[in-house]
Amino acid sequence: MNKLLKIRTLSQNVKEYVVDAPDVARHAKAGQFIILRVDEDGERVPFTICDMDKRAGTITILVQEVGATTSQLARLNVGDCVHDFVGPLGNATDLDAYDKVMLIGGGIGSAVVFPQAKHMKEIGKPVDIIIGARTKDLIMYEDEFRTNAKSFYIVTDDGSYVEKGFVTTKLKQLLDNGVKYDVVFAVGPMPMMKAVADLTREYGIKTIVSMNSIMVDGTGMCGCCRVSVGGQTMYACVDGPEFDGHEIDFAEAMNRLRIYKAQEQEHVCRLRGKVNE
């Protein structure tokens, strides 16, 4: 059992949870994830480690309420416990060898980008960051990013905050203005990551993305998180979650994410005791 120490609402349906998990925090690194169960009958759901405090023994995760388990989690309060909190899982990000890095986060993908920015500043290599969202209310960690970034840019689809456009709009503008990057690291919805990879391919820039595949056990045994990378079958939980964005079969990956939409909706309806029209 792991206790929820802090809960903070960042935007509509998005909350930040600080969890007492000293064993996980002791070994956690940027880019890794955890799998939790809310109760003993709950499903296993992965969440990226957004931050960690090894001294305090805490792990921070960012959760968007979109399904049955996240709805259950949203009803918990500070002091409540989750039944299981397993990790760290997956491979840590290693951007240390690069000098000119661009981090791109779309929506809740900010949860993955933030620890990278924090780590790179700590080793004396602050990075450029682009954060995008549909609207102003969905921009998260703005102050934290400004503190840790070399240059920080915000774009919104509807133009409600800072610049109107997509993350690719801003990235292309920077590249066309002569800004050089050794690597681009992008995290967010798959269509966004695909768009970034398509753009950087034109400029010959190495691109890394973090795959949010369907996952069950987190050990590679179930095979749910498989993804085609360079024509080979890989598993996000043990081979990733990060891969070369230019090698991923995004069409296949996006189709796989839609496989259980009907079952998930049915589960949510039963949980809430009503049928959505």
Side-chain angles (χ1 to χ4, degrees), residues 50 54 66 116 121 128 169 184 211 249 253 255 275-276:
C50 185
K54 297 181 184 295
V66 293
Q116 318 297 340
K121 184 176 181 182
D128 288 359
T169 308
V184 170
M211 298 299 287
D249 185 336
N255 283 334
V275 176
N276 290 341

Side-chain angles (χ1 to χ4, degrees), residues 124-135:
K125 293 184 176 183
V127 300
D128 288 359
I129 303 172
I130 301 173
I131 295 298
R134 293 193 307 275
T135 187

Side-chain angles (χ1 to χ4, degrees), residues 164-206:
K164 178 179 174 60
F166 304 116
V167 294
T168 47
T169 308
K170 189 62 186 180
L171 178 60
K172 187 176 190 306
Q173 179 187 89
L174 292 170
L175 296 175
D176 288 345
N177 286 339
V179 181
K180 305 292 184 182
Y181 294 108
D182 300 323
V183 64
V184 170
F185 180 88
V187 188
M190 283 203 195
M192 185 218 81
M193 293 191 293
K194 180 181 184 300
V196 171
D198 288 344
L199 175 63
T200 56
R201 184 182 291 108
E202 297 177 15
Y203 291 82
I205 304 171
K206 180 178 177 63

Side-chain angles (χ1 to χ4, degrees), residues 34-238:
I34 59 90
I35 287 181
L36 66 76
R37 286 196 303 165
V38 176
D39 55 43
E40 62 182 350
D41 298 318
E43 64 179 338
R44 296 164 56 86
V45 182
F47 295 101
T48 299
I49 294 172
C50 185
D51 202 0
M52 72 285 292
D53 188 326
K54 297 181 184 295
R55 179 173 297 180
T58 61
I59 291 291
T60 301
I61 59 173
L62 206 59
V63 180
Q64 183 175 25
E65 185 181 347
V66 293
T69 295
T70 51
S71 295
Q72 287 179 300
L73 191 59
R75 295 202 296 268
L76 298 182
N77 300 306
V78 171
D80 290 337
C81 295
V82 293
H83 193 275
D84 297 321
F85 196 86
V86 180
L89 301 170
N91 297 300
T93 307
D94 186 5
L95 301 175
D96 294 10
Y98 302 102
D99 295 318
K100 298 178 180 178
V101 178
M102 166 60 80
L103 302 181
I104 300 178
I108 202 166
S110 302
V112 186
V113 170
F114 175 62
Q116 318 297 340
K118 185 177 177 182
H119 170 73
M120 292 301 284
K121 184 176 181 182
E122 288 174 350
I123 65 171
K125 293 184 176 183
V127 300
D128 288 359
I129 303 172
I130 301 173
I131 295 298
R134 293 193 307 275
T135 187
K136 177 182 178 179
D137 292 341
L138 297 177
I139 296 293
M140 290 165 278
Y141 292 144
E142 179 179 352
D143 292 340
E144 290 88 342
F145 279 126
R146 290 193 187 281
T147 299
N148 288 280
K150 179 180 179 181
S151 297
F152 178 52
Y153 308 95
I154 294 176
V155 293
T156 48
D157 296 1
D158 62 2
S160 58
Y161 192 51
V162 190
E163 293 186 48
K164 178 179 174 60
F166 304 116
V167 294
T168 47
T169 308
K170 189 62 186 180
L171 178 60
K172 187 176 190 306
Q173 179 187 89
L174 292 170
L175 296 175
D176 288 345
N177 286 339
V179 181
K180 305 292 184 182
Y181 294 108
D182 300 323
V183 64
V184 170
F185 180 88
V187 188
M190 283 203 195
M192 185 218 81
M193 293 191 293
K194 180 181 184 300
V196 171
D198 288 344
L199 175 63
T200 56
R201 184 182 291 108
E202 297 177 15
Y203 291 82
I205 304 171
K206 180 178 177 63
T207 301
I208 302 169
V209 299
S210 182
M211 298 299 287
N212 54 339
S213 307
I214 294 172
M215 197 176 294
V216 177
D217 69 305
T219 66
M221 294 183 66
C222 72
C224 288
C225 67
R226 62 186 180 273
V227 58
S228 295
V229 183
Q232 296 185 329
T233 298
M234 309 288 279
Y235 298 91
C237 64
V238 292

